[in-house]
Amino acid sequence: MSKVTHFDHPMIQHKLSIMRDENTGSKDFRELASEIAMLMAYEVTRNMPVEEVDIKTPITTRKFKMLAGKKTAIVPILRAGLGMVDGMLKIIPAAKVGHIGMYRNEETLQPVEYFCKLPQDIGEREVIVTDPMLATGGSAIDAINALKKRGANSIRMMCIVAAPEGIKALQEKHPDVDIFVAAIDDELNDKGYIVPGLGDAGDRLFGTK
Ligand code: PRP
Ligand code: URA
């Protein structure tokens, strides 16, 4: 079974509470999503392997630690996952960015894939999928199916708010994918929205309805 890491950090919780406030406008909402992603990236990358390399300082040469092994790909689920990319790139500037377009059919709540463009060497990269909302889990499950079909084999899922139902569904379908989340809310309502949640993340990020 995959691991769920819940970020109970005061800075993240404070920023998330402002995002939840219905009076927070798109500009602040975008900045906060990016800041939370940056803070989470620090922990999501914690177990990345390092190796000792020779570095010549102005004084002498010594071995120091640098990242080793697989390179990273960040894959936002469009649209809302885009709101986490800038923050992630602040911590992992050399990462490549793929994109998967998914929208939920608002009646069936089933995700529909409409776009997929990934780095060619996706199978050789640590993949971090970003989406602020994990509700039924359908979009994340299908995005990860699409990634695996194209060769990705080491995937982490990073979201800001998750419903217990979404976590359970994702763990059942992809037990190899660890999940990183800033908040686990109460439940889904009958329209598939997370309660208390923050509303429609894509609309709030981009000012649409
Ligand atoms: C939202 C959100 C997730 C999905 C979560 O996207 O960003 O991708 O819903 O719901 P699920 O877990 O039940 O699949 P939406 O379909 O609204 O598209 P958008 O990002 O373009 O707004
Ligand atoms: N997608 C969102 O943007 N918000 C929710 O609460 C559920 C799905």
Side-chain angles (χ1 to χ4, degrees), residues 58-125:
I59 313 297
T60 186
T61 298
R62 281 278 164 81
K63 289 202 182 300
F64 291 99
K65 287 182 178 143
M66 294 197 68
L67 287 173
K70 286 186 173 179
K71 299 203 166 80
T72 305
I74 301 165
V75 181
I77 302 178
L78 305 180
R79 292 173 301 164
L82 281 176
M84 299 168 74
V85 174
D86 277 7
M88 299 284 296
L89 286 173
K90 290 213 168 86
I91 303 294
I92 324 167
K96 290 205 171 165
V97 182
H99 296 87
I100 294 196
M102 292 272 174
Y103 69 87
R104 282 200 322 176
N105 177 310
E106 299 214 333
E107 266 139 43
T108 63
L109 299 183
Q110 291 306 305
V112 182
E113 183 185 321
Y114 62 89
F115 184 77
C116 186
K117 179 90 180 166
L118 302 173
Q120 272 191 334
D121 57 353
I122 193 77
E124 287 145 43
R125 290 179 178 266

Short mmCIF file of all heavy atoms in Angstrom, two decimals, residues 58-125:
data_model
loop_
_atom_site.label_atom_id
_atom_site.label_comp_id
_atom_site.label_asym_id
_atom_site.label_seq_id
_atom_site.Cartn_x
_atom_site.Cartn_y
_atom_site.Cartn_z
N PRO A 58 37.10 28.01 -3.19
CA PRO A 58 38.27 28.89 -3.34
C PRO A 58 39.44 28.46 -2.44
O PRO A 58 40.58 28.89 -2.64
CB PRO A 58 37.74 30.26 -2.91
CG PRO A 58 36.27 30.19 -3.18
CD PRO A 58 35.89 28.77 -2.86
N ILE A 59 39.19 27.57 -1.48
CA ILE A 59 40.21 27.19 -0.50
C ILE A 59 40.82 25.83 -0.78
O ILE A 59 42.02 25.64 -0.72
CB ILE A 59 39.60 27.18 0.93
CG1 ILE A 59 38.78 28.46 1.20
CG2 ILE A 59 40.67 26.93 2.00
CD1 ILE A 59 39.57 29.74 1.16
N THR A 60 39.94 24.85 -1.09
CA THR A 60 40.45 23.48 -1.28
C THR A 60 39.40 22.65 -2.02
O THR A 60 38.32 23.15 -2.34
CB THR A 60 40.76 22.83 0.10
OG1 THR A 60 41.38 21.56 -0.12
CG2 THR A 60 39.51 22.64 0.94
N THR A 61 39.77 21.39 -2.29
CA THR A 61 38.81 20.49 -2.96
C THR A 61 38.34 19.44 -1.97
O THR A 61 39.15 18.83 -1.26
CB THR A 61 39.49 19.82 -4.17
OG1 THR A 61 39.86 20.84 -5.09
CG2 THR A 61 38.52 18.86 -4.87
N ARG A 62 37.05 19.25 -1.90
CA ARG A 62 36.45 18.25 -1.00
C ARG A 62 35.28 17.58 -1.71
O ARG A 62 34.75 18.13 -2.67
CB ARG A 62 35.84 18.91 0.24
CG ARG A 62 36.77 19.31 1.31
CD ARG A 62 37.14 18.15 2.23
NE ARG A 62 38.33 18.55 2.99
CZ ARG A 62 38.30 19.33 4.05
NH1 ARG A 62 37.15 19.75 4.51
NH2 ARG A 62 39.41 19.67 4.66
N LYS A 63 34.88 16.45 -1.14
CA LYS A 63 33.67 15.81 -1.65
C LYS A 63 32.46 16.44 -0.94
O LYS A 63 32.46 16.60 0.27
CB LYS A 63 33.71 14.31 -1.36
CG LYS A 63 34.72 13.58 -2.23
CD LYS A 63 34.38 12.12 -2.33
CE LYS A 63 35.42 11.36 -3.15
NZ LYS A 63 35.55 11.85 -4.52
N PHE A 64 31.46 16.79 -1.74
CA PHE A 64 30.20 17.32 -1.20
C PHE A 64 29.03 16.60 -1.86
O PHE A 64 29.18 16.02 -2.93
CB PHE A 64 30.10 18.82 -1.46
CG PHE A 64 31.09 19.62 -0.66
CD1 PHE A 64 32.27 20.07 -1.27
CD2 PHE A 64 30.87 19.93 0.67
CE1 PHE A 64 33.20 20.80 -0.54
CE2 PHE A 64 31.79 20.66 1.40
CZ PHE A 64 32.96 21.09 0.80
N LYS A 65 27.88 16.70 -1.19
CA LYS A 65 26.71 15.96 -1.69
C LYS A 65 25.99 16.72 -2.80
O LYS A 65 25.76 17.93 -2.69
CB LYS A 65 25.72 15.73 -0.54
CG LYS A 65 26.24 14.69 0.41
CD LYS A 65 25.27 14.42 1.52
CE LYS A 65 25.86 13.32 2.39
NZ LYS A 65 25.60 13.51 3.79
N MET A 66 25.66 15.98 -3.83
CA MET A 66 24.79 16.53 -4.88
C MET A 66 23.77 15.47 -5.26
O MET A 66 23.98 14.29 -5.02
CB MET A 66 25.62 16.94 -6.10
CG MET A 66 26.53 18.11 -5.78
SD MET A 66 27.18 18.97 -7.20
CE MET A 66 25.77 19.75 -7.89
N LEU A 67 22.67 15.91 -5.86
CA LEU A 67 21.63 14.96 -6.26
C LEU A 67 22.19 13.94 -7.23
O LEU A 67 22.96 14.28 -8.13
CB LEU A 67 20.46 15.68 -6.92
CG LEU A 67 19.56 16.51 -6.01
CD1 LEU A 67 18.58 17.31 -6.83
CD2 LEU A 67 18.83 15.62 -5.01
N ALA A 68 21.80 12.68 -7.03
CA ALA A 68 22.26 11.61 -7.92
C ALA A 68 21.04 10.91 -8.51
O ALA A 68 19.91 11.16 -8.12
CB ALA A 68 23.08 10.61 -7.11
N GLY A 69 21.30 10.02 -9.42
CA GLY A 69 20.23 9.15 -9.89
C GLY A 69 19.28 9.85 -10.83
O GLY A 69 19.64 10.78 -11.54
N LYS A 70 18.06 9.40 -10.76
CA LYS A 70 17.07 9.80 -11.75
C LYS A 70 16.79 11.30 -11.73
O LYS A 70 16.76 11.92 -10.66
CB LYS A 70 15.75 9.08 -11.46
CG LYS A 70 15.74 7.63 -11.82
CD LYS A 70 14.34 7.12 -11.62
CE LYS A 70 14.22 5.70 -12.11
NZ LYS A 70 12.88 5.17 -11.91
N LYS A 71 16.53 11.84 -12.88
CA LYS A 71 16.11 13.24 -12.96
C LYS A 71 14.59 13.29 -12.75
O LYS A 71 13.92 12.26 -12.74
CB LYS A 71 16.48 13.78 -14.32
CG LYS A 71 17.99 13.74 -14.58
CD LYS A 71 18.36 14.75 -15.63
CE LYS A 71 19.86 14.97 -15.67
NZ LYS A 71 20.54 13.92 -16.41
N THR A 72 14.09 14.51 -12.60
CA THR A 72 12.68 14.68 -12.22
C THR A 72 11.83 15.18 -13.39
O THR A 72 12.31 15.97 -14.21
CB THR A 72 12.59 15.70 -11.07
OG1 THR A 72 13.44 15.25 -10.02
CG2 THR A 72 11.18 15.85 -10.54
N ALA A 73 10.61 14.74 -13.43
CA ALA A 73 9.60 15.36 -14.31
C ALA A 73 8.42 15.77 -13.45
O ALA A 73 7.95 14.98 -12.62
CB ALA A 73 9.14 14.39 -15.39
N ILE A 74 7.98 17.00 -13.62
CA ILE A 74 6.76 17.47 -12.96
C ILE A 74 5.64 17.38 -13.99
O ILE A 74 5.82 17.86 -15.12
CB ILE A 74 6.93 18.93 -12.48
CG1 ILE A 74 8.11 19.04 -11.50
CG2 ILE A 74 5.65 19.44 -11.83
CD1 ILE A 74 8.58 20.46 -11.27
N VAL A 75 4.54 16.74 -13.63
CA VAL A 75 3.44 16.61 -14.60
C VAL A 75 2.15 17.15 -13.97
O VAL A 75 1.49 16.45 -13.20
CB VAL A 75 3.26 15.15 -15.06
CG1 VAL A 75 2.12 15.07 -16.08
CG2 VAL A 75 4.55 14.60 -15.65
N PRO A 76 1.81 18.42 -14.26
CA PRO A 76 0.54 18.94 -13.77
C PRO A 76 -0.63 18.35 -14.55
O PRO A 76 -0.54 18.14 -15.76
CB PRO A 76 0.66 20.45 -14.05
CG PRO A 76 1.62 20.56 -15.19
CD PRO A 76 2.58 19.41 -15.03
N ILE A 77 -1.71 18.06 -13.82
CA ILE A 77 -2.97 17.71 -14.49
C ILE A 77 -3.67 19.02 -14.81
O ILE A 77 -3.98 19.81 -13.90
CB ILE A 77 -3.86 16.81 -13.59
CG1 ILE A 77 -3.11 15.53 -13.20
CG2 ILE A 77 -5.16 16.49 -14.31
CD1 ILE A 77 -3.88 14.59 -12.27
N LEU A 78 -3.86 19.29 -16.10
CA LEU A 78 -4.48 20.54 -16.53
C LEU A 78 -5.96 20.54 -16.12
O LEU A 78 -6.59 19.49 -16.17
CB LEU A 78 -4.38 20.70 -18.05
CG LEU A 78 -2.97 20.60 -18.65
CD1 LEU A 78 -3.03 20.76 -20.16
CD2 LEU A 78 -2.03 21.60 -18.02
N ARG A 79 -6.46 21.69 -15.80
CA ARG A 79 -5.73 22.95 -15.70
C ARG A 79 -5.11 23.20 -14.33
O ARG A 79 -4.06 23.79 -14.21
CB ARG A 79 -6.72 24.13 -15.91
CG ARG A 79 -7.32 24.32 -17.23
CD ARG A 79 -8.36 25.41 -17.16
NE ARG A 79 -9.41 25.09 -16.20
CZ ARG A 79 -10.28 25.98 -15.71
NH1 ARG A 79 -10.21 27.25 -16.09
NH2 ARG A 79 -11.22 25.64 -14.88
N ALA A 80 -5.85 22.80 -13.27
CA ALA A 80 -5.50 23.32 -11.95
C ALA A 80 -4.10 22.93 -11.49
O ALA A 80 -3.46 23.69 -10.76
CB ALA A 80 -6.54 22.88 -10.93
N GLY A 81 -3.60 21.79 -11.95
CA GLY A 81 -2.25 21.37 -11.56
C GLY A 81 -1.18 22.36 -11.96
O GLY A 81 -0.10 22.42 -11.35
N LEU A 82 -1.49 23.17 -12.99
CA LEU A 82 -0.52 24.19 -13.45
C LEU A 82 -0.17 25.16 -12.33
O LEU A 82 0.95 25.67 -12.28
CB LEU A 82 -1.13 25.01 -14.59
CG LEU A 82 -1.14 24.40 -15.98
CD1 LEU A 82 -1.86 25.35 -16.93
CD2 LEU A 82 0.28 24.14 -16.46
N GLY A 83 -1.13 25.38 -11.44
CA GLY A 83 -0.93 26.35 -10.36
C GLY A 83 0.14 25.94 -9.37
O GLY A 83 0.54 26.74 -8.53
N MET A 84 0.61 24.70 -9.46
CA MET A 84 1.64 24.24 -8.52
C MET A 84 3.02 24.16 -9.18
O MET A 84 4.01 23.89 -8.49
CB MET A 84 1.24 22.86 -7.96
CG MET A 84 -0.08 22.89 -7.20
SD MET A 84 -0.71 21.25 -6.83
CE MET A 84 0.38 20.73 -5.51
N VAL A 85 3.09 24.39 -10.49
CA VAL A 85 4.35 24.13 -11.20
C VAL A 85 5.44 25.14 -10.85
O VAL A 85 6.58 24.77 -10.57
CB VAL A 85 4.10 24.09 -12.73
CG1 VAL A 85 5.41 23.98 -13.49
CG2 VAL A 85 3.21 22.92 -13.08
N ASP A 86 5.08 26.42 -10.86
CA ASP A 86 6.09 27.46 -10.57
C ASP A 86 6.79 27.21 -9.24
O ASP A 86 8.00 27.30 -9.13
CB ASP A 86 5.41 28.84 -10.43
CG ASP A 86 5.20 29.47 -11.76
OD1 ASP A 86 5.46 28.78 -12.76
OD2 ASP A 86 4.77 30.63 -11.78
N GLY A 87 5.99 26.92 -8.23
CA GLY A 87 6.53 26.68 -6.88
C GLY A 87 7.46 25.48 -6.87
O GLY A 87 8.53 25.50 -6.25
N MET A 88 7.07 24.42 -7.58
CA MET A 88 7.92 23.22 -7.65
C MET A 88 9.24 23.53 -8.34
O MET A 88 10.30 23.06 -7.94
CB MET A 88 7.21 22.13 -8.46
CG MET A 88 5.91 21.67 -7.90
SD MET A 88 6.16 20.60 -6.52
CE MET A 88 6.99 19.23 -7.26
N LEU A 89 9.14 24.33 -9.42
CA LEU A 89 10.36 24.63 -10.19
C LEU A 89 11.34 25.49 -9.41
O LEU A 89 12.53 25.51 -9.71
CB LEU A 89 10.01 25.29 -11.53
CG LEU A 89 9.42 24.34 -12.58
CD1 LEU A 89 8.94 25.13 -13.79
CD2 LEU A 89 10.43 23.28 -13.01
N LYS A 90 10.83 26.21 -8.41
CA LYS A 90 11.75 27.01 -7.56
C LYS A 90 12.68 26.07 -6.81
O LYS A 90 13.83 26.39 -6.53
CB LYS A 90 10.97 27.87 -6.58
CG LYS A 90 10.23 29.00 -7.26
CD LYS A 90 10.14 30.23 -6.37
CE LYS A 90 9.67 31.44 -7.14
NZ LYS A 90 8.21 31.55 -7.22
N ILE A 91 12.18 24.88 -6.43
CA ILE A 91 12.99 23.92 -5.67
C ILE A 91 13.72 22.96 -6.60
O ILE A 91 14.83 22.52 -6.32
CB ILE A 91 12.08 23.12 -4.69
CG1 ILE A 91 11.34 24.05 -3.76
CG2 ILE A 91 12.88 22.09 -3.89
CD1 ILE A 91 12.19 24.82 -2.78
N ILE A 92 13.10 22.62 -7.73
CA ILE A 92 13.70 21.65 -8.67
C ILE A 92 13.80 22.32 -10.05
O ILE A 92 13.08 21.95 -11.00
CB ILE A 92 12.85 20.36 -8.79
CG1 ILE A 92 12.21 19.98 -7.45
CG2 ILE A 92 13.67 19.20 -9.34
CD1 ILE A 92 11.13 18.92 -7.57
N PRO A 93 14.69 23.31 -10.19
CA PRO A 93 14.68 24.10 -11.43
C PRO A 93 15.04 23.31 -12.68
O PRO A 93 14.66 23.68 -13.79
CB PRO A 93 15.72 25.21 -11.17
CG PRO A 93 16.51 24.75 -10.01
CD PRO A 93 15.68 23.79 -9.22
N ALA A 94 15.74 22.18 -12.51
CA ALA A 94 16.15 21.42 -13.70
C ALA A 94 15.09 20.41 -14.14
O ALA A 94 15.28 19.72 -15.15
CB ALA A 94 17.46 20.68 -13.40
N ALA A 95 14.00 20.35 -13.42
CA ALA A 95 12.96 19.36 -13.80
C ALA A 95 12.38 19.70 -15.17
O ALA A 95 12.27 20.87 -15.54
CB ALA A 95 11.85 19.37 -12.75
N LYS A 96 12.00 18.64 -15.91
CA LYS A 96 11.23 18.87 -17.13
C LYS A 96 9.75 18.85 -16.75
O LYS A 96 9.36 18.23 -15.75
CB LYS A 96 11.53 17.79 -18.15
CG LYS A 96 12.93 17.94 -18.70
CD LYS A 96 13.09 17.33 -20.07
CE LYS A 96 14.45 17.74 -20.60
NZ LYS A 96 14.86 16.95 -21.75
N VAL A 97 8.94 19.51 -17.56
CA VAL A 97 7.51 19.60 -17.24
C VAL A 97 6.70 18.96 -18.36
O VAL A 97 6.79 19.39 -19.52
CB VAL A 97 7.09 21.08 -17.04
CG1 VAL A 97 5.61 21.16 -16.67
CG2 VAL A 97 7.94 21.74 -15.95
N GLY A 98 5.95 17.92 -18.02
CA GLY A 98 4.99 17.33 -18.96
C GLY A 98 3.61 17.87 -18.64
O GLY A 98 3.43 18.57 -17.62
N HIS A 99 2.65 17.59 -19.49
CA HIS A 99 1.28 18.06 -19.23
C HIS A 99 0.28 16.97 -19.57
O HIS A 99 0.41 16.32 -20.62
CB HIS A 99 0.95 19.30 -20.08
CG HIS A 99 1.80 20.49 -19.75
ND1 HIS A 99 3.03 20.71 -20.33
CD2 HIS A 99 1.59 21.51 -18.90
CE1 HIS A 99 3.54 21.83 -19.83
NE2 HIS A 99 2.70 22.33 -18.95
N ILE A 100 -0.69 16.80 -18.69
CA ILE A 100 -1.82 15.91 -19.01
C ILE A 100 -3.10 16.70 -18.82
O ILE A 100 -3.32 17.29 -17.77
CB ILE A 100 -1.85 14.67 -18.08
CG1 ILE A 100 -0.63 13.80 -18.35
CG2 ILE A 100 -3.13 13.86 -18.29
CD1 ILE A 100 -0.73 12.41 -17.79
N GLY A 101 -3.90 16.74 -19.86
CA GLY A 101 -5.17 17.47 -19.79
C GLY A 101 -6.30 16.52 -19.43
O GLY A 101 -6.50 15.50 -20.10
N MET A 102 -6.99 16.82 -18.34
CA MET A 102 -8.13 16.00 -17.89
C MET A 102 -9.22 16.96 -17.45
O MET A 102 -8.93 17.94 -16.77
CB MET A 102 -7.77 15.23 -16.61
CG MET A 102 -6.77 14.16 -16.77
SD MET A 102 -7.65 12.69 -17.22
CE MET A 102 -6.31 11.64 -17.52
N TYR A 103 -10.45 16.69 -17.82
CA TYR A 103 -11.52 17.42 -17.15
C TYR A 103 -12.55 16.42 -16.69
O TYR A 103 -12.67 15.32 -17.23
CB TYR A 103 -12.15 18.48 -18.07
CG TYR A 103 -12.95 17.93 -19.22
CD1 TYR A 103 -14.28 17.61 -19.07
CD2 TYR A 103 -12.35 17.71 -20.45
CE1 TYR A 103 -15.01 17.08 -20.11
CE2 TYR A 103 -13.05 17.19 -21.51
CZ TYR A 103 -14.39 16.88 -21.33
OH TYR A 103 -15.11 16.33 -22.37
N ARG A 104 -13.28 16.81 -15.64
CA ARG A 104 -14.32 15.92 -15.11
C ARG A 104 -15.62 16.25 -15.81
O ARG A 104 -16.04 17.41 -15.82
CB ARG A 104 -14.53 16.20 -13.61
CG ARG A 104 -13.53 15.61 -12.74
CD ARG A 104 -13.99 15.49 -11.31
NE ARG A 104 -14.80 16.58 -10.76
CZ ARG A 104 -15.31 16.55 -9.55
NH1 ARG A 104 -15.12 15.51 -8.77
NH2 ARG A 104 -16.02 17.57 -9.09
N ASN A 105 -16.26 15.24 -16.36
CA ASN A 105 -17.61 15.44 -16.84
C ASN A 105 -18.48 15.73 -15.61
O ASN A 105 -18.53 14.92 -14.69
CB ASN A 105 -18.09 14.17 -17.56
CG ASN A 105 -19.53 14.30 -18.03
OD1 ASN A 105 -20.43 14.68 -17.28
ND2 ASN A 105 -19.74 13.98 -19.29
N GLU A 106 -19.11 16.91 -15.59
CA GLU A 106 -19.74 17.35 -14.35
C GLU A 106 -20.96 16.52 -13.96
O GLU A 106 -21.37 16.52 -12.81
CB GLU A 106 -20.06 18.84 -14.43
CG GLU A 106 -18.77 19.63 -14.63
CD GLU A 106 -18.76 20.98 -13.97
OE1 GLU A 106 -19.83 21.56 -13.77
OE2 GLU A 106 -17.64 21.44 -13.65
N GLU A 107 -21.52 15.78 -14.94
CA GLU A 107 -22.65 14.93 -14.58
C GLU A 107 -22.20 13.55 -14.10
O GLU A 107 -22.60 13.08 -13.04
CB GLU A 107 -23.62 14.78 -15.76
CG GLU A 107 -24.73 15.80 -15.67
CD GLU A 107 -25.07 16.39 -17.01
OE1 GLU A 107 -25.16 15.63 -18.00
OE2 GLU A 107 -25.24 17.63 -17.08
N THR A 108 -21.31 12.93 -14.89
CA THR A 108 -20.91 11.56 -14.52
C THR A 108 -19.75 11.57 -13.53
O THR A 108 -19.44 10.54 -12.92
CB THR A 108 -20.44 10.79 -15.76
OG1 THR A 108 -19.27 11.45 -16.28
CG2 THR A 108 -21.51 10.76 -16.84
N LEU A 109 -19.07 12.72 -13.39
CA LEU A 109 -17.85 12.88 -12.59
C LEU A 109 -16.69 12.04 -13.16
O LEU A 109 -15.64 11.90 -12.53
CB LEU A 109 -18.07 12.54 -11.11
CG LEU A 109 -19.10 13.38 -10.35
CD1 LEU A 109 -19.15 12.98 -8.88
CD2 LEU A 109 -18.80 14.86 -10.47
N GLN A 110 -16.87 11.49 -14.37
CA GLN A 110 -15.80 10.70 -14.98
C GLN A 110 -14.77 11.62 -15.65
O GLN A 110 -15.15 12.57 -16.35
CB GLN A 110 -16.36 9.75 -16.06
CG GLN A 110 -17.21 8.63 -15.49
CD GLN A 110 -16.47 7.84 -14.42
OE1 GLN A 110 -15.38 7.33 -14.65
NE2 GLN A 110 -17.06 7.75 -13.24
N PRO A 111 -13.47 11.37 -15.45
CA PRO A 111 -12.47 12.20 -16.10
C PRO A 111 -12.33 11.89 -17.60
O PRO A 111 -12.52 10.74 -18.01
CB PRO A 111 -11.18 11.82 -15.37
CG PRO A 111 -11.44 10.50 -14.75
CD PRO A 111 -12.91 10.33 -14.60
N VAL A 112 -12.04 12.92 -18.38
CA VAL A 112 -11.84 12.76 -19.83
C VAL A 112 -10.46 13.31 -20.16
O VAL A 112 -10.15 14.46 -19.82
CB VAL A 112 -12.92 13.57 -20.60
CG1 VAL A 112 -12.76 13.38 -22.10
CG2 VAL A 112 -14.32 13.18 -20.15
N GLU A 113 -9.62 12.49 -20.82
CA GLU A 113 -8.27 12.97 -21.19
C GLU A 113 -8.35 13.72 -22.51
O GLU A 113 -8.94 13.24 -23.46
CB GLU A 113 -7.33 11.76 -21.33
CG GLU A 113 -5.89 12.19 -21.65
CD GLU A 113 -4.95 11.02 -21.92
OE1 GLU A 113 -5.06 9.97 -21.24
OE2 GLU A 113 -4.11 11.16 -22.82
N TYR A 114 -7.78 14.93 -22.57
CA TYR A 114 -7.81 15.67 -23.84
C TYR A 114 -6.44 16.10 -24.31
O TYR A 114 -6.29 16.67 -25.39
CB TYR A 114 -8.76 16.88 -23.75
CG TYR A 114 -8.38 17.92 -22.70
CD1 TYR A 114 -7.52 18.98 -23.00
CD2 TYR A 114 -8.89 17.84 -21.41
CE1 TYR A 114 -7.19 19.92 -22.04
CE2 TYR A 114 -8.57 18.78 -20.45
CZ TYR A 114 -7.72 19.81 -20.77
OH TYR A 114 -7.37 20.75 -19.82
N PHE A 115 -5.40 15.84 -23.53
CA PHE A 115 -4.06 16.27 -23.96
C PHE A 115 -3.02 15.49 -23.18
O PHE A 115 -3.21 15.20 -21.99
CB PHE A 115 -3.89 17.77 -23.68
CG PHE A 115 -2.58 18.34 -24.18
CD1 PHE A 115 -2.41 18.60 -25.53
CD2 PHE A 115 -1.52 18.59 -23.31
CE1 PHE A 115 -1.20 19.11 -26.00
CE2 PHE A 115 -0.33 19.10 -23.77
CZ PHE A 115 -0.16 19.37 -25.11
N CYS A 116 -1.92 15.14 -23.85
CA CYS A 116 -0.82 14.51 -23.11
C CYS A 116 0.49 14.77 -23.83
O CYS A 116 0.65 14.37 -24.99
CB CYS A 116 -1.05 13.01 -22.96
SG CYS A 116 0.20 12.24 -21.91
N LYS A 117 1.39 15.47 -23.21
CA LYS A 117 2.72 15.74 -23.79
C LYS A 117 3.74 15.58 -22.66
O LYS A 117 3.71 16.31 -21.67
CB LYS A 117 2.74 17.18 -24.34
CG LYS A 117 4.05 17.59 -24.93
CD LYS A 117 4.09 17.28 -26.40
CE LYS A 117 5.42 17.71 -26.99
NZ LYS A 117 5.64 17.16 -28.31
N LEU A 118 4.61 14.59 -22.82
CA LEU A 118 5.54 14.25 -21.74
C LEU A 118 6.98 14.30 -22.24
O LEU A 118 7.22 14.14 -23.45
CB LEU A 118 5.25 12.82 -21.25
CG LEU A 118 3.84 12.55 -20.73
CD1 LEU A 118 3.67 11.07 -20.44
CD2 LEU A 118 3.54 13.39 -19.50
N PRO A 119 7.94 14.47 -21.33
CA PRO A 119 9.34 14.33 -21.75
C PRO A 119 9.55 12.94 -22.34
O PRO A 119 8.97 11.96 -21.86
CB PRO A 119 10.13 14.49 -20.44
CG PRO A 119 9.20 15.12 -19.47
CD PRO A 119 7.81 14.77 -19.90
N GLN A 120 10.38 12.85 -23.41
CA GLN A 120 10.56 11.56 -24.10
C GLN A 120 11.10 10.48 -23.18
O GLN A 120 10.78 9.31 -23.33
CB GLN A 120 11.53 11.76 -25.25
CG GLN A 120 10.82 12.19 -26.52
CD GLN A 120 11.73 12.13 -27.71
OE1 GLN A 120 12.95 12.25 -27.57
NE2 GLN A 120 11.14 11.95 -28.87
N ASP A 121 11.96 10.90 -22.24
CA ASP A 121 12.59 9.91 -21.37
C ASP A 121 11.82 9.76 -20.05
O ASP A 121 12.41 9.57 -19.00
CB ASP A 121 14.04 10.31 -21.09
CG ASP A 121 14.14 11.71 -20.48
OD1 ASP A 121 13.10 12.41 -20.40
OD2 ASP A 121 15.24 12.10 -20.06
N ILE A 122 10.50 9.82 -20.12
CA ILE A 122 9.68 9.81 -18.89
C ILE A 122 9.96 8.56 -18.04
O ILE A 122 9.91 8.61 -16.81
CB ILE A 122 8.17 9.94 -19.23
CG1 ILE A 122 7.34 10.25 -17.99
CG2 ILE A 122 7.61 8.72 -19.94
CD1 ILE A 122 7.42 11.65 -17.51
N GLY A 123 10.30 7.46 -18.70
CA GLY A 123 10.56 6.21 -17.98
C GLY A 123 11.81 6.27 -17.13
O GLY A 123 12.01 5.43 -16.25
N GLU A 124 12.68 7.23 -17.42
CA GLU A 124 13.92 7.34 -16.64
C GLU A 124 13.84 8.44 -15.60
O GLU A 124 14.85 8.80 -15.00
CB GLU A 124 15.09 7.63 -17.60
CG GLU A 124 15.47 6.41 -18.43
CD GLU A 124 15.92 6.80 -19.82
OE1 GLU A 124 16.68 7.78 -19.93
OE2 GLU A 124 15.48 6.14 -20.77
N ARG A 125 12.69 9.01 -15.40
CA ARG A 125 12.56 10.15 -14.47
C ARG A 125 11.69 9.81 -13.27
O ARG A 125 10.79 8.97 -13.36
CB ARG A 125 11.97 11.36 -15.20
CG ARG A 125 12.95 11.94 -16.19
CD ARG A 125 12.41 13.12 -16.95
NE ARG A 125 13.47 13.61 -17.82
CZ ARG A 125 14.33 14.59 -17.51
NH1 ARG A 125 14.19 15.25 -16.38
NH2 ARG A 125 15.29 14.94 -18.33
#
